[in-house]
Amino acid sequence: MILADFGKALAQMVDPRFLRVLLLGLGLTLLLLAGLYGLTFWLVGWLVPEAISLPYFGEISWVDDAASVASLLLMLVLSVFLMVPVASAFTGLFLEDVAEAVEAEHYPGLPPADGLPWGEALVDSAQFLVLIVAVNAVALTLYFFVGPLAPFLFWAVNGFLLGREYFSMVAMRRLGRSGARAARHRHRLKIWGAGALMAAPLSIPVVNLFIPILGAATFTHLFHRWEGQAARRSDRTAYRDRNRRA
């Protein structure tokens, strides 16, 4: 069933609302990485002298050029690891559009979701970015010790993180934070398995850039399949409460 939900998400990738979120996420990611490149080069130029004098070697005049090239190579390598986490974090800011597009296409008739305030979504995305970068940095040191099992460790770690994050973001729209936490606990193993499916293509260049959108869409389907009745009850209660206050 998870593969069927993934297939439905994949079939909707040509939806203009999906493409808009994809372009926004990639655009903001590229701007951030370009800013980091610029800051790195500025720091290198500021901190590294143009030339140094060493005993027996004399004056070395290419120190700043070597440092600039080294910093560029370092940033390029880091970009491989940071592109998807950063894109995922930015995509999280626009998850509402992805979930709404899925619900409009496949679950018509649902009342509007309460959603999350922009400030909370920003904080959640920032926390997710820090968490996924930190955990992968630690896991990176373990890959050397597990040998051929490294891909499975990568899928397991990122599957847990992606599944937890995407399901929570989708569920909070309909159930609130406490309800989403309870739903995540009920389906934790299935969420991990679905997250591993999302993590598997992360090592494929270009394809990995689509994973945040596919993940958000797939977990929207999974949420409605696993928690659809609870979500509808919550929506009806929220709708009645809004009418009473009005």
Side-chain angles (χ1 to χ4, degrees):
M1 294 300 290
I2 293 176
L3 289 177
D5 290 330
F6 180 77
K8 287 188 287 187
L10 187 61
Q12 200 175 347
M13 276 302 299
V14 295
D15 190 311
R17 292 164 291 188
F18 278 36
L19 297 178
R20 175 180 173 274
V21 173
L22 175 65
L23 293 176
L24 281 171
L26 291 180
L28 290 172
T29 300
L30 292 174
L31 283 176
L32 177 61
L33 293 178
L36 289 176
Y37 289 160
L39 178 61
T40 300
F41 289 140
W42 179 80
L43 287 174
V44 168
W46 182 50
L47 296 175
V48 179
E50 293 184 2
I52 61 173
S53 295
L54 296 176
Y56 306 110
F57 292 95
E59 184 177 273
I60 300 177
S61 59
W62 42 265
V63 174
D64 59 335
D65 293 333
S68 296
V69 172
S71 63
L72 175 61
L73 294 176
L74 176 62
M75 291 303 298
L76 289 175
V77 172
L78 288 177
S79 295
V80 175
F81 295 97
L82 292 177
M83 176 65 80
V84 173
V86 173
S88 297
F90 279 129
T91 301
L93 297 175
F94 309 105
L95 172 67
E96 193 79 15
D97 295 339
V98 177
E100 286 179 357
V102 172
E103 290 175 347
E105 179 73 20
H106 296 277
Y107 308 96
L110 288 175
D114 288 337
L116 288 176
W118 176 260
E120 290 187 27
L122 181 61
V123 171
D124 287 345
S125 294
Q127 290 176 340
F128 176 57
L129 174 61
V130 172
L131 177 63
I132 197 169
V133 170
V135 171
N136 275 281
V138 174
L140 189 63
T141 63
L142 299 177
Y143 294 153
F144 298 101
F145 299 99
V146 297
L149 298 179
F152 297 97
L153 177 61
F154 177 84
W155 296 335
V157 169
N158 285 280
F160 175 79
L161 293 174
L162 292 177
R164 183 181 187 277
E165 182 66 14
Y166 287 137
F167 184 84
S168 295
M169 288 193 295
V170 170
M172 281 190 291
R173 298 175 62 253
R174 296 284 176 182
L175 302 179
R177 287 189 180 274
S178 59
R181 192 179 302 112
R184 192 178 68 228
H185 180 75
R186 286 193 293 271
H187 306 291
R188 55 188 181 278
L189 293 180
K190 291 185 290 186
I191 291 171
W192 194 349
L197 177 64
M198 299 298 106
L202 286 180
S203 56
I204 305 175
V206 180
V207 173
N208 55 14
L209 299 178
F210 294 86
I211 295 305
I213 307 296
L214 287 172
T218 299
F219 274 97
T220 301
H221 288 293
L222 292 173
F223 168 76
H224 282 290
R225 185 154 56 81
W226 295 339
E227 292 288 326
Q229 291 184 349
R232 284 189 287 273
R233 286 196 300 268
S234 178
D235 287 335
R236 286 195 295 269
T237 301
Y239 180 77
R240 286 196 300 268
D241 290 343
R242 284 196 295 267
N243 284 343
R244 291 195 190 102
R245 288 195 295 268

